[in-house]
Amino acid sequence: MLTPADSCPLCQETAGALVLQAERYRIVRVVDTELPGFCRVIWQQHVAEMSDLPPADRRALMAVVFAVELALRDCYQPDKINLASFGNVVPHLHWHIICRWRDDPWFPEPIWGQRQRQGNVSSATITDAVLAARIAHYLASGVHA
């Protein structure tokens, strides 16, 4: 008999370019030239909601989300960061951390909304190693807390 985790794509796949992995979470970069810096923080355990986690794990997960946000702001210098946690299609706890620019194809709509214009965002090319180092810096420094 299959369990929910057996059929869950976030349990079975990396779900992007792996930037950083720890015991309780992994950080992946969504490979999309129109969305530079778009990352997901994926909780390793198959749970659907933040409230499924004990309070200490909730705080730890949000510390990772904030560290990724800070690292993306440093590396990409977006006009705005969007944070989202849906799980409507894939009910596995994960957060989207999305760099936004006023001239990106969807702004001011969400990236899942209607395209507003053509073209790609021009931003710095940041390697996954550089991004991982910035995230690790913020995780170690406690600035995110």
Side-chain angles (χ1 to χ4, degrees):
M1 172 178 248
L2 286 177
T3 68
D6 291 330
S7 60
C8 173
L10 294 182
C11 287
Q12 303 303 318
E13 303 167 18
T14 304
L18 187 62
V19 173
L20 194 68
Q21 185 159 339
E23 182 180 339
R24 296 187 291 177
Y25 63 86
R26 69 184 178 277
I27 301 165
V28 299
R29 183 181 46 77
V30 175
V31 181
D32 187 329
T33 59
E34 291 189 306
L35 298 166
F38 179 178
C39 288
R40 287 189 191 105
V41 175
I42 302 167
W43 194 250
Q44 297 286 62
Q45 179 187 5
H46 185 81
V47 298
E49 309 297 345
M50 288 289 292
S51 57
D52 291 337
L53 299 177
D57 285 347
R58 293 177 204 165
R59 288 188 298 274
L61 176 55
M62 291 314 298
V64 175
V65 170
F66 296 144
V68 172
E69 177 183 329
L70 288 165
L72 290 174
R73 291 179 68 192
D74 281 355
C75 291
Y76 290 93
Q77 301 182 355
D79 294 319
K80 181 73 176 89
I81 294 282
N82 289 173
L83 300 176
S85 178
F86 300 113
N88 298 337
V89 175
V90 180
H92 180 125
L93 184 57
H94 64 287
W95 282 85
H96 302 270
I97 302 95
I98 309 160
C99 295
R100 300 300 307 275
W101 288 267
R102 287 181 187 89
D103 62 349
D104 76 37
W106 299 273
F107 198 88
E109 295 291 321
I111 63 167
W112 298 280
Q114 185 172 352
R115 184 182 280 270
Q116 303 296 303
R117 66 194 58 77
Q118 290 301 103
N120 290 333
V121 171
S122 60
S123 71
T125 301
I126 307 298
T127 67
D128 291 342
V130 167
L131 183 56
R134 291 308 298 157
I135 295 168
H137 163 76
Y138 282 115
L139 287 170
S141 70
V143 171
H144 56 278

Short mmCIF file of all heavy atoms in Angstrom, two decimals, residues 16-58:
data_model
loop_
_atom_site.label_atom_id
_atom_site.label_comp_id
_atom_site.label_asym_id
_atom_site.label_seq_id
_atom_site.Cartn_x
_atom_site.Cartn_y
_atom_site.Cartn_z
N GLY A 16 14.36 20.82 -7.91
CA GLY A 16 15.12 22.00 -8.31
C GLY A 16 16.60 21.74 -8.17
O GLY A 16 17.02 20.62 -7.87
N ALA A 17 17.38 22.78 -8.38
CA ALA A 17 18.84 22.68 -8.20
C ALA A 17 19.14 22.78 -6.71
O ALA A 17 18.85 23.80 -6.07
CB ALA A 17 19.54 23.80 -8.97
N LEU A 18 19.70 21.73 -6.15
CA LEU A 18 19.97 21.70 -4.72
C LEU A 18 21.01 22.74 -4.34
O LEU A 18 22.13 22.73 -4.86
CB LEU A 18 20.43 20.30 -4.30
CG LEU A 18 20.59 20.06 -2.81
CD1 LEU A 18 19.27 20.23 -2.08
CD2 LEU A 18 21.17 18.67 -2.57
N VAL A 19 20.64 23.65 -3.46
CA VAL A 19 21.54 24.71 -2.99
C VAL A 19 22.15 24.33 -1.65
O VAL A 19 23.35 24.49 -1.43
CB VAL A 19 20.79 26.06 -2.88
CG1 VAL A 19 21.66 27.13 -2.25
CG2 VAL A 19 20.30 26.51 -4.25
N LEU A 20 21.32 23.83 -0.76
CA LEU A 20 21.79 23.49 0.60
C LEU A 20 20.85 22.44 1.16
O LEU A 20 19.64 22.50 0.95
CB LEU A 20 21.74 24.76 1.45
CG LEU A 20 22.44 24.79 2.79
CD1 LEU A 20 23.95 24.74 2.60
CD2 LEU A 20 22.09 26.08 3.52
N GLN A 21 21.42 21.47 1.88
CA GLN A 21 20.60 20.43 2.49
C GLN A 21 21.04 20.20 3.92
O GLN A 21 22.23 20.18 4.21
CB GLN A 21 20.68 19.13 1.70
CG GLN A 21 19.75 18.08 2.24
CD GLN A 21 19.43 16.99 1.24
OE1 GLN A 21 19.57 17.18 0.05
NE2 GLN A 21 18.99 15.86 1.74
N ALA A 22 20.06 20.04 4.78
CA ALA A 22 20.29 19.72 6.18
C ALA A 22 19.38 18.56 6.54
O ALA A 22 18.59 18.09 5.71
CB ALA A 22 20.01 20.93 7.06
N GLU A 23 19.47 18.11 7.76
CA GLU A 23 18.66 16.97 8.18
C GLU A 23 17.16 17.23 8.05
O GLU A 23 16.40 16.38 7.60
CB GLU A 23 18.99 16.60 9.63
CG GLU A 23 18.23 15.40 10.14
CD GLU A 23 18.57 15.07 11.58
OE1 GLU A 23 19.63 15.49 12.07
OE2 GLU A 23 17.75 14.39 12.21
N ARG A 24 16.72 18.44 8.44
CA ARG A 24 15.29 18.72 8.48
C ARG A 24 14.74 19.45 7.26
O ARG A 24 13.53 19.54 7.10
CB ARG A 24 14.96 19.52 9.73
CG ARG A 24 15.24 18.73 11.01
CD ARG A 24 14.77 19.46 12.23
NE ARG A 24 15.60 20.63 12.48
CZ ARG A 24 15.40 21.49 13.45
NH1 ARG A 24 14.38 21.34 14.27
NH2 ARG A 24 16.20 22.51 13.62
N TYR A 25 15.60 19.97 6.42
CA TYR A 25 15.13 20.75 5.27
C TYR A 25 16.13 20.70 4.13
O TYR A 25 17.28 20.30 4.32
CB TYR A 25 14.89 22.22 5.67
CG TYR A 25 16.17 22.91 6.10
CD1 TYR A 25 17.01 23.51 5.17
CD2 TYR A 25 16.54 22.94 7.44
CE1 TYR A 25 18.20 24.12 5.56
CE2 TYR A 25 17.72 23.54 7.84
CZ TYR A 25 18.54 24.13 6.90
OH TYR A 25 19.71 24.72 7.28
N ARG A 26 15.67 21.13 2.96
CA ARG A 26 16.57 21.37 1.84
C ARG A 26 16.13 22.65 1.15
O ARG A 26 14.95 23.03 1.20
CB ARG A 26 16.61 20.20 0.87
CG ARG A 26 15.38 19.95 0.06
CD ARG A 26 15.54 18.68 -0.81
NE ARG A 26 14.36 18.37 -1.58
CZ ARG A 26 13.31 17.72 -1.13
NH1 ARG A 26 13.28 17.26 0.11
NH2 ARG A 26 12.26 17.49 -1.92
N ILE A 27 17.09 23.32 0.56
CA ILE A 27 16.83 24.56 -0.17
C ILE A 27 17.19 24.28 -1.62
O ILE A 27 18.30 23.83 -1.92
CB ILE A 27 17.68 25.71 0.39
CG1 ILE A 27 17.35 25.92 1.87
CG2 ILE A 27 17.44 26.99 -0.44
CD1 ILE A 27 18.37 26.78 2.60
N VAL A 28 16.23 24.54 -2.50
CA VAL A 28 16.46 24.34 -3.93
C VAL A 28 16.18 25.64 -4.66
O VAL A 28 15.37 26.46 -4.24
CB VAL A 28 15.60 23.19 -4.51
CG1 VAL A 28 15.91 21.87 -3.84
CG2 VAL A 28 14.12 23.50 -4.40
N ARG A 29 16.89 25.81 -5.76
CA ARG A 29 16.66 26.95 -6.65
C ARG A 29 15.82 26.44 -7.81
O ARG A 29 16.14 25.42 -8.42
CB ARG A 29 17.97 27.52 -7.16
CG ARG A 29 17.79 28.76 -8.05
CD ARG A 29 19.13 29.28 -8.54
NE ARG A 29 20.01 28.23 -9.05
CZ ARG A 29 19.88 27.64 -10.24
NH1 ARG A 29 18.90 27.97 -11.05
NH2 ARG A 29 20.73 26.69 -10.61
N VAL A 30 14.74 27.13 -8.08
CA VAL A 30 13.90 26.80 -9.22
C VAL A 30 14.65 27.22 -10.48
O VAL A 30 15.11 28.36 -10.57
CB VAL A 30 12.53 27.51 -9.13
CG1 VAL A 30 11.71 27.26 -10.38
CG2 VAL A 30 11.79 27.05 -7.87
N VAL A 31 14.80 26.31 -11.40
CA VAL A 31 15.56 26.59 -12.63
C VAL A 31 14.60 27.23 -13.63
O VAL A 31 13.84 26.55 -14.32
CB VAL A 31 16.21 25.30 -13.19
CG1 VAL A 31 17.01 25.61 -14.44
CG2 VAL A 31 17.08 24.65 -12.12
N ASP A 32 14.63 28.56 -13.68
CA ASP A 32 13.73 29.32 -14.56
C ASP A 32 14.39 30.66 -14.84
O ASP A 32 14.56 31.47 -13.92
CB ASP A 32 12.38 29.52 -13.88
CG ASP A 32 11.34 30.16 -14.78
OD1 ASP A 32 11.72 30.97 -15.67
OD2 ASP A 32 10.15 29.88 -14.60
N THR A 33 14.75 30.92 -16.08
CA THR A 33 15.46 32.16 -16.43
C THR A 33 14.61 33.40 -16.22
O THR A 33 15.15 34.50 -16.05
CB THR A 33 15.95 32.13 -17.90
OG1 THR A 33 14.82 31.95 -18.75
CG2 THR A 33 16.96 31.03 -18.12
N GLU A 34 13.29 33.26 -16.21
CA GLU A 34 12.43 34.42 -15.97
C GLU A 34 12.27 34.75 -14.49
O GLU A 34 11.74 35.80 -14.16
CB GLU A 34 11.05 34.20 -16.59
CG GLU A 34 11.07 34.20 -18.10
CD GLU A 34 9.67 34.20 -18.67
OE1 GLU A 34 8.87 33.32 -18.31
OE2 GLU A 34 9.39 35.10 -19.47
N LEU A 35 12.72 33.85 -13.63
CA LEU A 35 12.57 34.03 -12.19
C LEU A 35 13.91 33.81 -11.48
O LEU A 35 14.06 32.86 -10.70
CB LEU A 35 11.51 33.08 -11.65
CG LEU A 35 10.10 33.28 -12.19
CD1 LEU A 35 9.22 32.09 -11.85
CD2 LEU A 35 9.51 34.58 -11.68
N PRO A 36 14.89 34.67 -11.73
CA PRO A 36 16.19 34.46 -11.09
C PRO A 36 16.07 34.50 -9.56
O PRO A 36 15.34 35.32 -9.01
CB PRO A 36 17.05 35.60 -11.62
CG PRO A 36 16.12 36.58 -12.24
CD PRO A 36 14.85 35.86 -12.55
N GLY A 37 16.76 33.58 -8.92
CA GLY A 37 16.78 33.55 -7.47
C GLY A 37 15.59 32.88 -6.82
O GLY A 37 15.55 32.77 -5.59
N PHE A 38 14.62 32.43 -7.56
CA PHE A 38 13.44 31.79 -6.98
C PHE A 38 13.88 30.52 -6.27
O PHE A 38 14.42 29.61 -6.87
CB PHE A 38 12.44 31.50 -8.09
CG PHE A 38 11.15 30.81 -7.69
CD1 PHE A 38 10.20 30.56 -8.66
CD2 PHE A 38 10.86 30.44 -6.39
CE1 PHE A 38 8.99 29.93 -8.34
CE2 PHE A 38 9.66 29.82 -6.06
CZ PHE A 38 8.73 29.56 -7.04
N CYS A 39 13.65 30.47 -4.96
CA CYS A 39 14.04 29.30 -4.15
C CYS A 39 12.83 28.72 -3.44
O CYS A 39 11.83 29.39 -3.22
CB CYS A 39 15.07 29.71 -3.10
SG CYS A 39 16.70 30.06 -3.77
N ARG A 40 12.99 27.45 -3.09
CA ARG A 40 12.02 26.77 -2.23
C ARG A 40 12.77 26.22 -1.03
O ARG A 40 13.85 25.66 -1.17
CB ARG A 40 11.35 25.59 -2.95
CG ARG A 40 10.36 25.95 -4.00
CD ARG A 40 9.62 24.70 -4.49
NE ARG A 40 8.86 25.02 -5.68
CZ ARG A 40 9.21 24.66 -6.92
NH1 ARG A 40 10.29 23.93 -7.12
NH2 ARG A 40 8.48 25.00 -7.94
N VAL A 41 12.16 26.36 0.12
CA VAL A 41 12.63 25.68 1.32
C VAL A 41 11.63 24.55 1.54
O VAL A 41 10.43 24.79 1.73
CB VAL A 41 12.68 26.61 2.54
CG1 VAL A 41 13.05 25.82 3.80
CG2 VAL A 41 13.67 27.75 2.30
N ILE A 42 12.13 23.32 1.49
CA ILE A 42 11.27 22.14 1.57
C ILE A 42 11.59 21.39 2.87
O ILE A 42 12.74 21.02 3.12
CB ILE A 42 11.51 21.23 0.35
CG1 ILE A 42 11.24 22.01 -0.94
CG2 ILE A 42 10.64 19.97 0.45
CD1 ILE A 42 11.73 21.32 -2.19
N TRP A 43 10.57 21.20 3.68
CA TRP A 43 10.73 20.43 4.92
C TRP A 43 10.89 18.97 4.52
O TRP A 43 10.12 18.45 3.69
CB TRP A 43 9.52 20.65 5.81
CG TRP A 43 9.73 20.18 7.22
CD1 TRP A 43 9.15 19.10 7.81
CD2 TRP A 43 10.58 20.77 8.20
NE1 TRP A 43 9.58 18.99 9.11
CE2 TRP A 43 10.47 19.99 9.37
CE3 TRP A 43 11.43 21.87 8.20
CZ2 TRP A 43 11.17 20.29 10.53
CZ3 TRP A 43 12.13 22.16 9.36
CH2 TRP A 43 12.00 21.38 10.50
N GLN A 44 11.86 18.28 5.08
CA GLN A 44 12.15 16.91 4.67
C GLN A 44 11.05 15.93 5.07
O GLN A 44 10.73 15.01 4.32
CB GLN A 44 13.48 16.44 5.25
CG GLN A 44 14.68 17.24 4.77
CD GLN A 44 15.08 16.92 3.34
OE1 GLN A 44 14.33 17.12 2.41
NE2 GLN A 44 16.30 16.45 3.19
N GLN A 45 10.49 16.11 6.25
CA GLN A 45 9.43 15.21 6.72
C GLN A 45 8.15 15.50 5.95
O GLN A 45 7.81 16.66 5.69
CB GLN A 45 9.22 15.44 8.22
CG GLN A 45 8.15 14.61 8.85
CD GLN A 45 7.89 15.02 10.29
OE1 GLN A 45 8.45 15.98 10.80
NE2 GLN A 45 7.02 14.28 10.95
N HIS A 46 7.42 14.47 5.60
CA HIS A 46 6.17 14.66 4.86
C HIS A 46 5.06 15.10 5.82
O HIS A 46 4.43 14.26 6.48
CB HIS A 46 5.77 13.39 4.12
CG HIS A 46 4.55 13.60 3.27
ND1 HIS A 46 4.62 14.17 2.02
CD2 HIS A 46 3.24 13.34 3.51
CE1 HIS A 46 3.40 14.25 1.52
NE2 HIS A 46 2.55 13.75 2.41
N VAL A 47 4.86 16.40 5.88
CA VAL A 47 3.73 16.99 6.61
C VAL A 47 3.13 18.05 5.69
O VAL A 47 3.80 18.56 4.79
CB VAL A 47 4.14 17.61 7.96
CG1 VAL A 47 4.70 16.56 8.90
CG2 VAL A 47 5.14 18.74 7.78
N ALA A 48 1.88 18.38 5.94
CA ALA A 48 1.18 19.32 5.04
C ALA A 48 1.14 20.75 5.56
O ALA A 48 1.15 21.69 4.78
CB ALA A 48 -0.24 18.84 4.79
N GLU A 49 1.10 20.93 6.86
CA GLU A 49 0.86 22.26 7.43
C GLU A 49 1.92 22.64 8.45
O GLU A 49 2.49 21.77 9.12
CB GLU A 49 -0.51 22.30 8.11
CG GLU A 49 -1.67 21.81 7.27
CD GLU A 49 -1.95 22.64 6.03
OE1 GLU A 49 -1.43 23.78 5.92
OE2 GLU A 49 -2.68 22.15 5.15
N MET A 50 2.12 23.94 8.60
CA MET A 50 3.05 24.44 9.63
C MET A 50 2.64 23.94 11.01
O MET A 50 3.47 23.59 11.83
CB MET A 50 3.10 25.97 9.63
CG MET A 50 3.80 26.60 8.45
SD MET A 50 5.58 26.37 8.45
CE MET A 50 6.09 27.37 9.84
N SER A 51 1.34 23.89 11.25
CA SER A 51 0.85 23.46 12.56
C SER A 51 1.02 21.97 12.80
O SER A 51 0.80 21.49 13.91
CB SER A 51 -0.62 23.87 12.74
OG SER A 51 -1.41 23.32 11.72
N ASP A 52 1.45 21.21 11.79
CA ASP A 52 1.80 19.80 11.98
C ASP A 52 3.15 19.66 12.68
O ASP A 52 3.48 18.58 13.18
CB ASP A 52 1.86 19.06 10.65
CG ASP A 52 0.50 18.89 10.00
OD1 ASP A 52 -0.52 18.93 10.71
OD2 ASP A 52 0.46 18.70 8.77
N LEU A 53 3.93 20.73 12.69
CA LEU A 53 5.27 20.70 13.30
C LEU A 53 5.22 21.13 14.76
O LEU A 53 4.41 21.99 15.13
CB LEU A 53 6.21 21.65 12.56
CG LEU A 53 6.47 21.39 11.09
CD1 LEU A 53 7.36 22.49 10.52
CD2 LEU A 53 7.09 20.03 10.89
N PRO A 54 6.11 20.58 15.58
CA PRO A 54 6.24 21.10 16.94
C PRO A 54 6.74 22.55 16.87
O PRO A 54 7.39 22.94 15.91
CB PRO A 54 7.30 20.19 17.58
CG PRO A 54 7.43 19.02 16.68
CD PRO A 54 6.99 19.44 15.32
N PRO A 55 6.44 23.35 17.88
CA PRO A 55 6.83 24.76 17.86
C PRO A 55 8.31 25.01 17.56
O PRO A 55 8.64 25.94 16.80
CB PRO A 55 6.44 25.26 19.25
CG PRO A 55 5.27 24.40 19.63
CD PRO A 55 5.61 23.04 19.06
N ALA A 56 9.19 24.19 18.08
CA ALA A 56 10.63 24.40 17.82
C ALA A 56 10.96 24.20 16.34
O ALA A 56 11.78 24.94 15.78
CB ALA A 56 11.47 23.47 18.69
N ASP A 57 10.32 23.23 15.70
CA ASP A 57 10.54 23.01 14.27
C ASP A 57 9.93 24.13 13.44
O ASP A 57 10.49 24.53 12.41
CB ASP A 57 9.95 21.67 13.83
CG ASP A 57 10.80 20.48 14.27
OD1 ASP A 57 11.96 20.69 14.69
OD2 ASP A 57 10.30 19.34 14.19
N ARG A 58 8.80 24.66 13.87
CA ARG A 58 8.21 25.82 13.17
C ARG A 58 9.18 26.99 13.17
O ARG A 58 9.39 27.63 12.14
CB ARG A 58 6.91 26.26 13.84
CG ARG A 58 5.79 25.29 13.74
CD ARG A 58 4.59 25.83 14.51
NE ARG A 58 3.73 24.73 14.90
CZ ARG A 58 2.77 24.82 15.80
NH1 ARG A 58 2.53 25.98 16.40
NH2 ARG A 58 2.03 23.77 16.09
#
